Amino acid sequence: MKELNAYLIFNGNCGQAMKFYQQCLGADLQTMPFSEMPGGKHEDAGDRLAHARLTKGKTVLMASDNLPDMPFQQGNNFSVCLDCESTEEVDTLFAALSEKGQVTMAPQETFWAKR
């Protein structure tokens, strides 16, 4: 495994929060709004962010906004992101971590990753 990072979910204010962290920490910030995602499926998301990545040295914090039609519950708005070496490692870790758990999204191919 290459990295393990926190991933925060916001309810429409991800950009504002990540810019605040960028200023406080003196970090680099990269963002992608839902409107720039391939396929144009989320026109209703306005300026909400599909992904934000804040970096300073080896430290990484990632975040996004939820979609307007998705429920948001404070306290459940975070994930852990595992950056794996291979799709085989993804499958192995997913099988181990999902055993007796509740899967909300299984690994799948996306425009940013093989799985």
Side-chain angles (χ1 to χ4, degrees), residues 1-3 82-90 93 114:
M1 181 175 15
K2 297 178 197 177
E3 295 180 340
L82 304 176
D83 188 2
C84 297
E85 299 283 348
S86 65
T87 55
E88 292 79 18
E89 184 179 29
V90 170
L93 292 175
K114 292 180 183 177

Side-chain angles (χ1 to χ4, degrees), residues 28 34 37 43-44 50 54 68 73 76-77 80 87 100 103:
D28 294 317
F34 281 103
M37 288 180 59
E43 294 86 16
D44 63 333
L54 189 72
Q73 183 174 349
N76 291 347
N77 57 321
V80 175
T87 55
K100 297 182 183 178
V103 175

Side-chain angles (χ1 to χ4, degrees), residues 67-84:
L67 287 167
D69 61 343
M70 297 188 74
F72 180 84
Q73 183 174 349
Q74 194 75 29
N76 291 347
N77 57 321
F78 68 94
S79 299
V80 175
C81 180
L82 304 176
D83 188 2
C84 297

Side-chain angles (χ1 to χ4, degrees), residues 8-114:
L8 306 176
I9 309 296
F10 291 89
N11 193 22
N13 61 333
C14 180
Q16 179 184 5
M18 294 300 277
K19 285 176 187 172
F20 173 76
Y21 297 147
Q22 176 190 27
Q23 289 176 335
C24 290
L25 303 173
D28 294 317
L29 177 61
Q30 301 167 331
T31 62
M32 175 185 277
F34 281 103
S35 62
E36 293 180 13
M37 288 180 59
K41 297 179 183 178
H42 303 292
E43 294 86 16
D44 63 333
D47 61 353
R48 289 176 183 244
L49 295 181
H51 183 68
R53 181 180 171 95
L54 189 72
T55 56
K56 182 156 185 171
K58 293 183 180 182
T59 304
V60 176
L61 177 63
M62 296 186 292
S64 67
D65 283 308
N66 64 326
L67 287 167
D69 61 343
M70 297 188 74
F72 180 84
Q73 183 174 349
Q74 194 75 29
N76 291 347
N77 57 321
F78 68 94
S79 299
V80 175
C81 180
L82 304 176
D83 188 2
C84 297
E85 299 283 348
S86 65
T87 55
E88 292 79 18
E89 184 179 29
V90 170
D91 294 340
T92 299
L93 292 175
F94 180 76
L97 292 167
S98 64
E99 187 175 329
K100 297 182 183 178
Q102 180 181 356
V103 175
T104 57
M105 182 188 291
Q108 56 189 295
E109 189 168 323
T110 63
F111 69 89
W112 69 84
K114 292 180 183 177

